């Protein structure tokens, strides 16, 4: 798309990043969607870990709305190790920690004698004539920065099955990795499978955990998302992640459900 910014973030200084309009949240145009900050922290953590280990799980806590302002990333090792490693990262905006992430890396090794095969997801649908507008919101930065191709009904409440492709780099001048491509879209699971109209209800995940069997090959990540609501204002979104070869992992998001 010709009107896309160069990337989700522009490098402004050493570990300081300027968010572009592609990070724009559907809830507040001055705030960031949770996907790009999650991927940015994961990228910083992954870069700090030696080769031969792969990120297997990341838990991200959104401590406040994330302003679309320059942010600094800090990475701290919590549990060094040759077989498993735990690392923490913070996204700091105007002196305040807005997002914190903890990620486990596990050392890769020889192929086990038994492997579990998973069925591939549905085929990638043809390119739609128009981009899906998410409950009448066609013009918001993050939504335009992703290509969405639904395999089921786009109007179903509480579930969604969709192929996703990130259109632009995470950071200008740096190639997207399979890890960052996955985490840019993982936090969209609750929005994709929202049970209530966006213009009337908030559905906000204060935290998200993504567990990965492997990292994807190619540009496309498939998400099979489902949202369940309790009767006291809480919800839970779960998503199964795949690529054309099969299963990638899982996403879980507890939700705050409130009328706007």
């Amino acid at each position: 798309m010709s009107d896309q910014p160069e990337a989700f973030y522009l490098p402004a200084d050493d570990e300081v990043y300027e968010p572009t309009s592609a990070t724009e949240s559907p809830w507040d145009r001055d705030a960031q969607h949770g996907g790009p900050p999650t991927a940015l922290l994961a990228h910083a953590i992954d870069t700090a870990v030696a080769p031969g280990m792969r990120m297997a799980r990341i838990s991200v806590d959104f401590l406040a709305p994330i302003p679309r302002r320059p942010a600094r990333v800090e990475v701290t090792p919590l549990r060094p190790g040759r077989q498993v490693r735990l690392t923490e990262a913070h996204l700091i905006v105007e002196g305040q920690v807005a997002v914190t992430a903890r990620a486990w890396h596990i050392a890769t090794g020889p192929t086990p004698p038994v492997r579990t095969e998973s069925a591939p997801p549905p085929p990638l649908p043809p390119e739609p004539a128009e981009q899906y507008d998410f409950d009448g919101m066609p013009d918001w930065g993050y939504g335009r920065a992703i290509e969405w191709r639904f395999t089921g009904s786009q109007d179903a409440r509480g579930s969604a099955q969709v192929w996703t492709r990130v259109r632009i780099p995470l950071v200008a001048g740096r190639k997207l990795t399979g890890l960052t491509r996955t985490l840019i879209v993982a936090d969209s699971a609750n929005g994709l499978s929202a049970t209530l109209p966006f213009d009337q209800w908030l559905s906000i995940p204060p935290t998200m955990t993504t567990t990965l069997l492997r990292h994807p090959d190619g540009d496309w990540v498939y998400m099979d998302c489902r949202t369940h609501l309790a009767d006291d204002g809480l919800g839970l979104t779960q998503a199964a992640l795949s690529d054309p070869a099969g299963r990638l992992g899982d996403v879980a998001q507890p939700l705050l459900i409130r009328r706007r």
Side-chain angles (χ1 to χ4, degrees):
M1 297 178 73
S2 59
D3 60 344
Q4 287 291 336
E6 182 180 357
F8 290 95
Y9 295 99
L10 306 178
D13 203 344
D14 185 31
E15 300 305 326
V16 175
Y17 301 89
E18 176 79 39
T20 69
S21 61
T23 65
E24 181 184 70
S25 166
W27 312 116
D28 181 351
R29 288 188 179 272
D30 294 324
Q32 297 185 53
H33 186 279
T38 296
L40 186 64
L41 292 179
H43 171 73
I45 291 172
D46 209 45
T47 302
V49 174
M53 304 190 84
R54 181 155 52 78
M55 188 178 293
R57 193 206 73 177
I58 184 167
S59 296
V60 183
D61 298 318
F62 307 108
L63 306 182
I66 312 163
R68 281 205 296 122
R69 295 199 170 92
R72 178 166 51 87
V73 173
E74 292 184 352
V75 177
T76 305
L78 296 181
R79 198 278 192 193
R82 290 182 297 175
Q83 298 296 322
V84 295
R85 180 184 178 98
L86 178 63
T87 311
E88 185 173 70
H90 300 295
L91 187 78
I92 301 169
V93 183
E94 297 180 334
Q96 300 293 320
V97 176
V99 186
T100 186
R102 285 189 170 193
W104 282 99
H105 279 73
I106 297 177
T108 57
T111 301
V114 176
R115 294 181 64 187
T116 302
E117 300 294 335
S118 59
L124 178 69
E127 184 174 4
E130 296 181 358
Q131 176 81 339
Y132 183 51
D133 66 5
F134 292 98
D135 261 355
M137 294 193 305
D139 187 28
W140 56 292
Y142 173 85
R144 292 195 312 272
I146 314 295
E147 183 175 353
W148 315 91
R149 296 195 193 179
F150 287 77
T151 63
S153 171
Q154 298 180 1
D155 299 321
R157 296 288 183 189
S159 68
Q161 296 76 43
V162 57
W163 283 99
T164 69
R165 183 178 70 87
V166 180
R167 298 180 186 272
I168 57 177
L170 175 65
V171 178
R174 301 180 191 174
K175 186 177 179 180
L176 271 173
T177 65
L179 174 65
T180 55
R181 188 183 298 281
T182 302
L183 294 176
I184 287 171
V185 299
D187 189 56
S188 64
N190 69 298
L192 290 166
S193 60
T195 57
L196 298 165
F198 279 6
D199 61 346
Q200 299 175 38
W201 290 85
L202 297 173
S203 176
I204 300 175
T207 185
M208 177 187 70
T209 298
T210 303
T211 304
L212 294 169
L213 174 64
R214 58 184 180 87
H215 297 177
D217 293 322
D219 293 343
W220 292 91
V221 173
Y222 179 76
M223 303 179 68
D224 185 353
C225 317
R226 300 191 183 277
T227 293
H228 308 272
L229 300 186
D231 57 6
D232 59 355
L234 275 71
L236 172 64
T237 293
Q238 296 172 302
L241 304 174
S242 304
D243 69 0
R247 187 69 175 272
L248 292 176
D250 297 285
V251 177
Q253 300 169 288
L255 303 175
L256 169 75
I257 306 295
R258 293 291 187 274
R259 185 179 290 276
R260 285 182 179 268

